[in-house]
Amino acid sequence: MQKHIYDLRYEVDKTEWRIRAKRDIVYQLWEQFRSEKLAKDTSKKIYIDLGCGTGVLQEDFEKRYPGTTAYGIDVMKEAIEYCKKRGLERANLYNGKKIPFKDSEFDLLTAIDVLEHIEDDVYSLGEIKRVLKKGGLGIFIVPAHMTLWSTRDIRLQHHRRYAFGELEKKCEDEGFTVLASKNADFMLYFVLWIMAKTAKKNKKGIAELGMETAQAPYLINEAAYIYECLENFWLRFADFPIGISKVVVVRK
């Protein structure tokens, strides 16, 4: 992503309603799908956030789960600089290809709005599998539906929005067991679809959307977060028929 987006993310990552809701999904899925053996295991858990951005998830995970050692890696030096600014010493730059850790290192790996930035996402899934322990979990959140493709995706340097079943099949082809596949941000799908259909189109026919962040005035921000919490609660038991994000949980 462009440098100014990291500047913006550093300002809003702790407060913006949508990214807060995504962190909640990670915690919810970790608690739901970690094995009973792993939950009872008192040894230190090792976690890594692939594409850690400004480091809020990495920082928050250690606070929420004492005894966890959390790492973060990102391809952008600006991201790592912001992680260091938060005091995160286990945040490191990597080349976007080989994950710089040994085999079978981690109990959990998250990639939140990351895989769409990687041209060869299949290779990255193979690397994710390599560094996860046997029985380790991967939690992925990616943008869905190319019908929502806009200049915002281009500006954020996305290679794709994932089609129905696309990420799940790639995970299975790499030898993962898919534990869950859910649509997230149900109501936002209709909002973004209307925006994409009514927006001005560029010369290539792509909708011109200028959103850089979902941050809103305080009361709206908090109301939106409460609504997202209700959607997240629903995802514990069921699924939505559609959403602007796809959530996939895999086990090695």
Side-chain angles (χ1 to χ4, degrees):
M1 293 191 293
Q2 300 171 8
K3 179 184 182 300
H4 80 276
I5 295 178
Y6 284 99
D7 298 337
L8 180 61
R9 294 307 326 169
Y10 183 75
E11 294 179 7
V12 305
D13 272 350
K14 287 196 172 185
T15 58
E16 183 195 84
W17 58 274
R18 191 158 177 253
I19 194 63
R20 287 162 63 193
K22 287 182 179 180
R23 289 198 293 271
D24 289 346
I25 288 177
V26 169
Y27 309 142
Q28 179 175 305
L29 294 173
W30 168 241
E31 292 168 8
Q32 181 178 355
F33 287 103
R34 60 184 173 177
S35 66
E36 183 177 347
K37 178 181 178 182
L38 188 60
K40 291 181 178 180
D41 185 0
T42 58
S43 61
K44 187 179 289 291
K45 309 300 186 297
I46 310 296
Y47 157 65
I48 185 169
D49 188 21
L50 176 66
C52 60
T54 68
V56 175
L57 181 55
Q58 179 190 353
E59 178 184 42
D60 202 36
F61 202 90
E62 282 195 347
K63 293 178 180 178
R64 192 178 183 97
Y65 302 101
T68 298
T69 299
Y71 292 82
I73 55 174
D74 203 288
V75 298
M76 295 294 290
K77 64 180 179 61
E78 292 82 6
I80 302 305
E81 288 169 359
Y82 278 127
C83 288
K84 302 297 185 184
K85 192 173 180 179
R86 294 193 196 279
L88 300 172
E89 296 303 320
R90 288 187 293 274
N92 296 288
L93 197 66
Y94 91 117
N95 62 11
K97 296 181 179 179
K98 185 176 176 62
I99 297 175
F101 289 93
K102 65 183 182 181
D103 296 358
S104 304
E105 179 82 2
F106 297 101
D107 299 290
L108 170 67
L109 181 146
T110 56
I112 310 305
D113 292 328
V114 170
L115 293 175
E116 68 275 12
H117 292 276
I118 302 173
E119 185 172 5
D120 190 353
D121 57 345
V122 172
Y123 175 86
S124 291
L125 288 171
E127 275 293 285
I128 290 168
K129 183 183 178 186
R130 179 183 66 78
V131 299
L132 279 174
K133 297 177 182 177
K134 184 177 181 180
L137 294 182
I139 298 176
F140 312 136
I141 301 179
V142 296
H145 306 297
M146 284 299 293
T147 54
L148 302 177
W149 186 261
S150 71
T151 54
R152 181 177 184 273
D153 292 285
I154 296 171
R155 196 165 55 255
L156 293 175
Q157 299 177 352
H158 292 175
H159 288 282
R160 68 193 73 79
R161 299 183 70 92
Y162 282 82
F164 179 80
E166 179 182 358
L167 181 55
E168 296 89 331
K169 185 178 187 305
K170 289 178 177 179
C171 289
E172 289 173 343
D173 288 347
E174 286 301 307
F176 284 110
T177 299
V178 176
L179 302 178
S181 171
K182 294 178 179 286
N183 297 301
D185 298 315
F186 172 66
M187 287 301 298
L188 279 177
Y189 174 85
F190 301 100
V191 173
L192 194 56
W193 185 85
I194 292 170
M195 290 174 66
K197 293 301 180 183
T198 58
K200 178 184 176 181
K201 305 297 190 294
N202 65 15
K203 293 180 179 180
K204 295 183 179 180
I206 299 172
E208 294 186 344
L209 296 183
M211 299 177 298
E212 299 287 14
T213 171
Q215 185 74 23
Y218 178 77
L219 290 178
I220 296 174
N221 193 72
E222 294 307 300
Y225 175 64
I226 290 170
Y227 174 76
E228 286 285 293
C229 288
L230 294 174
E231 281 203 4
N232 288 352
F233 181 77
W234 174 260
L235 288 177
R236 290 178 182 268
F237 313 103
D239 193 11
F240 294 104
I242 203 165
I244 69 170
S245 299
K246 172 65 72 172
V247 181
V248 176
V249 183
V250 300
R251 174 170 287 140
K252 176 176 174 180

